[in-house]
Amino acid sequence: MDILNGLVVFLNFVFIPAAAYGAQLALGALGVTLIYGILRFSNFAHGDTMAFGTAIVILLTWGLQALGISIQPLPTALLALVPAIALTALLVLATDRLVYRFYRRQKAAPIILVMASVGVMFVMNGLTRLLIGVNEQRFDDGARFIIDVRTFREMTGLTEGLALRSTQGLTVILAFITMIALFWFLNRTRSGKAMRAYSDNEDLALLSGIDPERVVRLTWIIAAGLMVMAGTLYGLDKAFRPFNYFQILLPIFAAAIVGGLGNPMGAIAGGFLVAFSEVAVTYPWVRVVGYVAPWYDPGPGNLMQLLGTEYKFAVSFVILIVVLLFRPTGLFRGKSV
Amino acid sequence: MATNRQAATAHSRWRAPIFFAILAVLFVLEGTVRNSMFSGSWNTSLAILNMGLISAITALGVNMQWGYAGLFNVGVVGFLAMGALAPVLISLPPVEGAWEAGIPRLALALLVGLGTLAMARLAWGRTRSGILTLAVLIGGFLAYRWLFDPAVTAIEANNPARQGNIGGLGLPVLLSWVVGGVFAAAAAWAIGKVALGLRSDYLAIATLGIGEIIVAVLRNEEWLARGVMNITSIPRPVAYEIELQRNLDFVEAASRWGFGAAEASGIWVKLSYMSLFLVVLLVIILLAELALKSPWGRMMRAIRDNETAAEAMGKDVTRRHLQVFILGSAVIGVAGAMMVTLDGLLAPTSYNPLRYTFLIWVMVIVGGSGNNWGAVLGSVTIWFLWIKAEVWGPALIAAMTSPMADGPIKAHLLDSSPHMRFIAMGAVLLLVLRFAPRGLLPEK
């Protein structure tokens, strides 16, 4: 019984939050990795573009709510997702046209593209603030829980309760569907194969008549979809603040790099690896240990926490460095320009 | 810029003086003309200039790394924060009771931590056994926490309302500028050892992470610098306004020049800071220019322009990269210490990468990477624009929206006009990268 209680605590405070966070990171990292694979630079504007897309979702959600449209028990934001992706895709295509295409034609060094993306980051950041301000916005409506603590206790008779918030369940399911759709697209469709061919060997792809600009456009559109999806799920799960989206850039990059830049499978693995390590290292294990090993007394005040929660970002970074030291191109052997 | 493909255009030698003259005119206007564009206050003008000079020193550090060696360091905020720690640890008065509370144990813990890393490295080097290395790391970490946690608890419990940290050494604050450079250099050495083997994009992301971590440590380790509780009243190297206002000679001299005592004291303090900053800036530029024109500088540029060729000619690229990374970071650290001295305050929450990493990058790119005077020009110009955007942005939006009818959209635009500065800075960076990739003052 105690073991079961321990397991419930573990699921409740470690597994479920980490799985949801991991799914969000994986979606973000997929976008970064796609852009790196096709356009061959690390997009520093990724986090702020996510914030911009999410801001549009929030505004549309408010509009829908004002009209009284809802899809109970699901959050209204899901309805707003599709038009928001379309708008964000337009914006992102415009930045490609105005900024990146010039350097692509010039065959500029990747680092110049990275720098240009810093410029885009500033503009996106400003646009987001202009659009929605800097304050925290909550936009999750619909049912709050799939299972709440009390129902779970009554059902199982355990002392510890388990809560599964609907946003967490939704995140994992939606991310899963998106990933399957993406892999289907990349492996089965003509356009997807063209993208992979272009990413693997640009010259060969050009020889076989693949239109590079079409591939680039497709990449941006898919990336925009992934960005808005990741941003919205993150915002529903935690809360929306423009600055958080700037900070999430580091774990997203870490996830993409740990998996191997340019490798979609790696991005997903990296996302979950980073998320699970972050949560596991900063979680106070004392309650779980209390159930699993009741004979062990860690002493008063010892929470059995490896690192304070403030150091979440440090964890993703340490994983990043360790992986790079032993495998310079990531776990799944990504590419390097 | 290393990767620039445009032919070097010939520039008149008046280009730099003209740009600096325009900049000087802007500062004079800010100091003398009072209208909707300028404040007409010498205090404001000098305050902008002083922060601009510190930004210029930071930009010089970044320019050494990027302009000389092609290293893309996106952890500037971290090195600034390392430097910012120095005034606290050097110039604050010692905290009574901190030593008894646990400084020796704390120092021991940190030594154990470093020893663990060294041991792990040794274990890996000698045996290549992952399990042994991991065992050393885990054992060392447990020992470290066993020593570290009680010491921190004791120190933070020592008069927590006013101190609760280890305090400083009570030495002159000017010394801390050098120490700030040393702190940042030490951090850069440790980081460079690990990260400099990485390729450009990977290095950028690694430094981004390091910057975030250093700032996180500063924010959360209260025993060190009180974390989010901030540290105020850091000693000054110059006079205090209050003392000047009490000094009858000073008040009389001020009135002869037509200034009130309060205004004059502010100007005098800022001028004193400005002279100190100018001295540091000129010394760093002198050294940087000498280094750049020496065989060492030619080697650095050769490495930057073609790593493979330089390596083939027997240059130790990794070693040179580490060297210039440490030097550049040290300069950034000095700037960090100067900034805290100017503010008289260490507020870890204010270390925002958008402002202290990416804005510095805008300065370097706009000024002209690889050119030290360009970095200075770019820094002061961009800083001036950054500050004035707060006034000019709303004025512009107000002018643009004046034909609009009053309503929620107009109100929203007016409210959020301060955010225009981000868009403006991004646009400036993008335009310069596109149309003048070598910057205002290109490398010769």
Side-chain angles (χ1 to χ4, degrees):
Chain A
M1 212 55 179
D2 273 354
I3 301 277
L4 275 184
N5 273 320
L7 185 68
V8 169
V9 176
F10 169 77
L11 284 177
N12 197 19
F13 290 104
V14 180
F15 188 83
I16 295 176
Y21 182 45
Q24 293 147 13
L25 284 188
L27 287 178
L30 270 175
V32 165
T33 246
L34 273 182
I35 293 173
Y36 189 88
I38 306 284
L39 295 130
R40 298 194 165 78
F41 73 96
S42 316
N43 182 17
F44 271 64
H46 207 84
D48 283 304
T49 317
M50 270 168 67
F52 185 82
T54 313
I56 299 183
V57 168
I58 295 174
L59 292 180
L60 290 175
T61 305
W62 288 344
L64 288 170
Q65 283 167 344
L67 293 175
I69 300 172
S70 78
I71 39 170
Q72 281 289 348
L74 295 172
T76 318
L78 291 186
L79 274 184
L81 208 52
V82 178
I85 288 178
L87 284 172
T88 312
L90 281 180
L91 180 78
V92 166
L93 285 173
T95 55
D96 182 71
R97 184 84 172 65
L98 286 172
V99 179
Y100 299 119
R101 197 173 71 166
F102 172 76
Y103 300 105
R104 198 160 54 240
R105 297 249 162 104
Q106 248 200 353
K107 298 233 177 287
I111 208 74
I112 302 300
L113 281 151
V114 175
M115 242 166 226
S117 82
V118 170
V120 175
M121 179 186 85
F122 266 105
V123 175
M124 286 286 181
N125 190 299
L127 283 178
T128 312
R129 287 165 187 233
L130 208 60
L131 195 64
I132 204 161
V134 290
N135 298 327
E136 183 173 305
Q137 310 288 352
R138 295 204 142 269
F139 59 109
D140 52 334
D141 49 3
R144 288 208 19 92
F145 290 101
I146 299 175
I147 308 169
D148 67 65
V149 173
R150 245 183 70 205
T151 329
F152 181 84
R153 280 206 197 119
E154 281 162 10
M155 265 163 52
T156 56
L158 291 170
T159 8
E160 292 293 340
L162 181 83
L164 179 60
R165 280 189 287 131
S166 21
T167 51
Q168 294 168 325
L170 196 68
T171 298
V172 175
I173 294 169
L174 262 186
F176 193 64
I177 296 173
T178 313
M179 287 170 203
I180 291 180
L182 182 68
F183 278 96
W184 174 82
F185 174 80
L186 287 177
N187 292 323
R188 293 293 154 82
T189 63
R190 218 180 138 68
S191 312
K193 284 180 186 165
M195 274 174 66
R196 278 173 47 221
Y198 184 85
S199 162
D200 286 342
N201 187 333
E202 195 182 334
D203 295 328
L204 206 59
L206 292 182
L207 269 180
S208 26
I210 290 173
D211 174 10
E213 285 300 313
R214 202 178 101 86
V215 168
V216 167
R217 272 200 305 276
L218 258 178
T219 310
W220 279 119
I221 292 171
I222 297 174
L226 290 167
M227 285 173 192
V228 181
M229 188 91 93
T232 307
L233 291 174
Y234 183 80
L236 280 173
D237 191 17
K238 311 270 165 58
F240 176 84
R241 287 194 68 178
F243 190 67
N244 288 351
Y245 283 74
F246 172 74
Q247 284 203 318
I248 203 182
L249 199 60
L250 185 64
I252 285 182
F253 272 143
I257 289 181
V258 163
L261 271 175
N263 184 326
M265 211 57 191
I268 296 172
F272 284 105
L273 182 69
V274 167
F276 272 92
S277 334
E278 268 189 21
V279 177
V281 171
T282 54
Y283 176 68
W285 286 93
V286 67
R287 266 170 76 192
V288 178
V289 174
Y291 281 116
V292 178
W295 60 87
Y296 178 74
D297 178 25
N302 186 344
L303 297 175
M304 312 205 58
Q305 189 179 17
L306 289 173
L307 270 181
T309 20
E310 316 85 51
Y311 291 113
K312 273 191 173 173
F313 292 115
V315 179
S316 45
F317 174 72
V318 170
I319 300 171
L320 176 88
I321 286 286
V322 170
V323 169
L324 287 183
L325 282 180
F326 293 102
R327 283 211 167 172
T329 52
L331 293 175
F332 284 66
R333 305 225 182 275
K335 55 171 105 274
S336 73
V337 191
Chain B
M1 207 179 296
T3 40
N4 174 273
R5 285 163 166 269
Q6 281 190 345
T9 39
H11 289 294
S12 113
R13 62 201 171 92
W14 292 107
R15 194 179 168 96
I18 289 172
F19 275 126
F20 276 105
I22 295 174
L23 196 56
V25 168
L26 279 175
F27 276 96
V28 171
L29 283 174
E30 177 70 23
T32 50
V33 178
R34 187 179 193 93
N35 59 17
S36 60
M37 302 269 290
F38 298 105
S39 68
S41 145
W42 278 109
N43 264 313
T44 315
S45 180
L46 286 171
I48 301 176
L49 180 62
N50 278 341
M51 206 48 215
L53 291 176
I54 292 181
S55 303
I57 294 175
T58 319
L60 280 175
V62 173
N63 190 36
M64 284 177 194
Q65 298 174 337
W66 169 248
Y68 292 14
L71 296 175
F72 191 42
N73 173 9
V74 203
V76 180
V77 66
F79 295 107
L80 270 175
M82 281 308 286
L85 202 52
V88 173
L89 296 184
I90 293 297
S91 67
L92 279 187
V95 167
E96 271 173 51
W99 187 265
E100 293 77 27
I103 291 182
R105 192 183 172 115
L106 188 84
L108 187 64
L110 295 177
L111 280 178
V112 167
L114 283 177
T116 304
L117 291 180
M119 286 274 286
R121 196 188 154 87
L122 204 68
W124 177 252
R126 287 276 167 83
T127 61
R128 294 273 147 191
S129 153
I131 296 172
L132 183 68
T133 314
L134 198 67
V136 170
L137 281 175
I138 292 175
F141 184 74
L142 290 178
Y144 163 76
R145 288 293 296 262
W146 179 74
L147 285 165
F148 183 76
D149 288 355
V152 165
T153 316
I155 290 171
E156 287 180 1
N158 178 35
N159 194 3
R162 294 194 48 225
Q163 293 151 337
N165 69 333
I166 55 176
L169 299 174
L171 298 171
V173 71
L174 282 182
L175 181 69
S176 74
W177 294 6
V178 180
V179 178
V182 174
F183 280 0
W189 177 80
I191 294 155
K193 273 286 180 196
V194 186
L196 277 183
L198 305 176
R199 280 193 16 74
S200 50
D201 287 33
Y202 290 84
L203 175 69
I205 290 156
T207 47
L208 178 74
I210 289 156
E212 289 290 306
I213 289 175
I214 296 178
V215 175
V217 169
L218 208 59
R219 241 175 241 172
N220 297 304
E221 299 299 321
E222 277 156 21
W223 57 272
L224 187 62
R226 284 171 51 92
V228 290
M229 290 186 289
N230 299 346
I231 287 191
T232 51
S233 65
I234 287 165
R236 267 193 188 180
V238 300
Y240 284 83
E241 283 91 343
I242 297 287
E243 287 168 18
L244 288 175
Q245 287 163 25
R246 286 201 196 116
N247 182 336
L248 289 178
D249 292 341
F250 178 82
V251 174
E252 196 191 329
S255 64
R256 232 179 297 133
W257 284 79
F259 287 107
E263 197 190 359
S265 63
I267 292 175
W268 179 257
V269 168
K270 290 186 180 77
L271 281 175
S272 324
Y273 270 121
M274 189 189 79
S275 348
L276 283 173
F277 294 165
L278 274 178
V279 169
V280 177
L281 182 69
L282 291 176
V283 167
I284 291 177
I285 286 200
L286 180 71
L287 292 176
E289 286 284 312
L290 285 176
L292 196 61
K293 298 216 161 70
S294 71
W296 181 86
R298 280 196 296 278
M299 174 179 64
M300 289 317 300
R301 273 174 294 167
I303 291 177
R304 177 194 67 187
D305 292 341
N306 193 337
E307 241 172 66
T308 327
E311 202 150 23
M313 290 194 306
K315 305 296 175 207
D316 188 344
V317 172
T318 318
R319 214 182 142 75
R320 293 301 141 216
H321 275 171
L322 182 65
Q323 201 177 32
V324 81
F325 188 64
I326 292 176
L327 284 175
S329 302
V331 172
I332 300 173
V334 172
M338 290 166 62
M339 198 165 75
V340 169
T341 315
L342 174 67
D343 293 341
L345 159 86
L346 175 69
T349 37
S350 67
Y351 285 81
N352 169 359
L354 217 52
R355 154 74 184 86
Y356 291 110
T357 295
F358 292 107
L359 192 66
I360 301 288
W361 268 98
V362 177
M363 295 169 176
V364 173
I365 300 291
V366 168
S369 48
N371 185 330
N372 291 318
W373 289 108
V376 175
L377 177 74
S379 305
V380 183
T381 313
I382 290 293
W383 181 246
F384 188 82
L385 291 178
W386 177 259
I387 293 295
K388 293 312 284 182
E390 210 159 29
V391 187
W392 294 351
L396 181 73
I397 291 211
M400 273 165 36
T401 53
S402 60
M404 277 168 68
D406 285 333
I409 295 181
K410 184 172 175 179
H412 176 78
L413 279 175
L414 284 174
D415 276 350
S416 41
S417 52
H419 305 315
M420 283 296 288
R421 61 157 49 151
F422 288 99
I423 301 179
M425 290 302 138
V428 167
L429 177 64
L430 287 173
L431 287 174
V432 169
L433 270 178
R434 176 75 145 73
F435 296 107
R438 291 154 54 80
L440 294 177
L441 298 183
E443 188 186 354
K444 285 178 204 83

